[in-house]
Amino acid sequence: MFPANFLKTQFEFEIETWKRLLVFLSEENNNAKNRLSDIVKDIGNNDEELIERVENFHNRMLKGDEILGLLYREMLEQQSLISKTNGVNEYQTEVKSKQQDLRNGLKKVKNNFLELNAEFNNWLSEVL
């Protein structure tokens, strides 16, 4: 059996890894928003259908920023809760449950970002 603090260390390591992933996803989202801005500058306001699609992508990217921020805050809360644990105590069940929730949430967010990015790039390939 592992030492009591092994789980705590593992959870802390996991969260640090996730935080780096969130930073990467945020940077990629910002790059895509910048690309949208460049497209709007190039096309002007003449193509209403194109503008509508750009706005749709932009809104989805802004929503992604919000979700990343919420997930990041949840990770900070989890870190705080983990710091209060020392092996088996009243927080352990809550910490394990929350860690699993964060794993699932991060997987979903990552998949959503990958899908949006692929959709955006495919769309750009079609219209440019």
Side-chain angles (χ1 to χ4, degrees), residues 28-42 54 61 120-121 123-125 127-128:
E28 287 301 303
N29 202 38
N30 286 335
N31 289 338
K33 288 185 293 188
N34 288 337
R35 185 69 184 120
L36 276 175
S37 176
D38 292 342
I39 292 166
V40 170
K41 288 176 191 173
D42 290 343
V54 166
M61 291 170 186
F120 177 62
N121 287 325
W123 175 74
L124 284 178
S125 295
V127 298
L128 299 180

Side-chain angles (χ1 to χ4, degrees), residues 14-92:
E14 243 181 325
I15 289 173
E16 288 304 316
T17 301
W18 295 340
K19 286 161 81 177
R20 287 189 301 274
L21 178 59
L22 289 182
V23 167
F24 172 76
L25 292 174
S26 180
E27 288 172 355
E28 287 301 303
N29 202 38
N30 286 335
N31 289 338
K33 288 185 293 188
N34 288 337
R35 185 69 184 120
L36 276 175
S37 176
D38 292 342
I39 292 166
V40 170
K41 288 176 191 173
D42 290 343
I43 63 170
N45 291 325
N46 299 335
D47 190 334
E48 206 170 296
E49 184 179 322
L50 194 61
I51 293 295
E52 186 176 309
R53 189 72 170 144
V54 166
E55 287 176 351
N56 177 274
F57 277 116
H58 187 249
N59 289 334
R60 291 168 62 193
M61 291 170 186
L62 290 175
K63 183 68 172 168
D65 285 338
E66 290 176 36
I67 291 169
L68 289 175
L70 291 170
L71 194 53
Y72 193 84
R73 283 190 288 284
E74 286 180 25
M75 287 180 192
L76 293 178
E77 290 171 9
Q78 176 72 344
Q79 273 186 314
S80 176
L81 190 58
I82 289 170
S83 71
K84 297 175 185 174
T85 64
N86 54 5
V88 178
N89 64 29
E90 70 274 12
Y91 296 114
Q92 191 169 16

Side-chain angles (χ1 to χ4, degrees), residues 88-105:
V88 178
N89 64 29
E90 70 274 12
Y91 296 114
Q92 191 169 16
T93 302
E94 183 180 351
V95 168
K96 283 183 176 181
S97 176
K98 182 64 176 176
Q99 195 80 3
Q100 187 60 47
D101 289 346
L102 285 170
R103 276 187 206 110
N104 294 337

